[in-house]
Amino acid sequence: MAVSLRGRIAWIQRCRNIDLKGSLLVIEPRLLPLLCCPANGMSLRVASLEELKGTDVAEALVRSDGLVLYPVVGDIPQLVSSAAIHRIVNP
């Protein structure tokens, strides 16, 4: 299904209204609640730039507990356990 330029601009404007906490990733707002961690079903959110430090990925989704990142490659979240990046979070 082709999307008109006007529709694409409207979508971008809606996405810009989301607080992405310093991230460059733009994701359709209604899709994010549908995504979950493939390992345990926890919810996912857009990773902040701070959470991406020390990794070699530019965009990622992070599990709600902040311990696992799933890279986004070519605008496609890599939601498979083999792609997961486990983070060590200092208390």
Side-chain angles (χ1 to χ4, degrees):
M1 180 172 90
V3 177
S4 70
L5 179 58
R6 184 174 296 167
R8 178 78 174 152
I9 291 170
W11 177 79
I12 291 170
Q13 289 172 336
R14 283 195 310 275
C15 291
R16 285 184 179 160
N17 292 330
I18 300 171
D19 178 17
L20 296 177
K21 298 180 182 176
S23 175
L24 300 176
L25 179 62
V26 176
I27 191 163
E28 176 70 40
R30 62 192 168 113
L31 295 181
L32 192 56
L34 302 176
L35 301 176
C36 65
C37 174
N40 63 10
M42 290 179 79
S43 63
L44 299 172
R45 59 181 170 74
V46 175
S48 69
L49 294 176
E50 183 67 32
E51 291 170 318
L52 294 174
K53 284 185 182 174
T55 70
D56 60 350
V57 297
E59 302 173 333
L61 296 177
V62 64
R63 204 166 68 184
S64 58
D65 63 4
L67 298 178
V68 179
L69 290 169
Y70 291 97
V72 176
V73 179
D75 293 332
I76 300 172
Q78 306 300 301
L79 297 179
V80 291
S81 296
S82 61
I85 300 169
H86 296 272
R87 298 180 63 233
I88 299 174
V89 180
N90 296 326

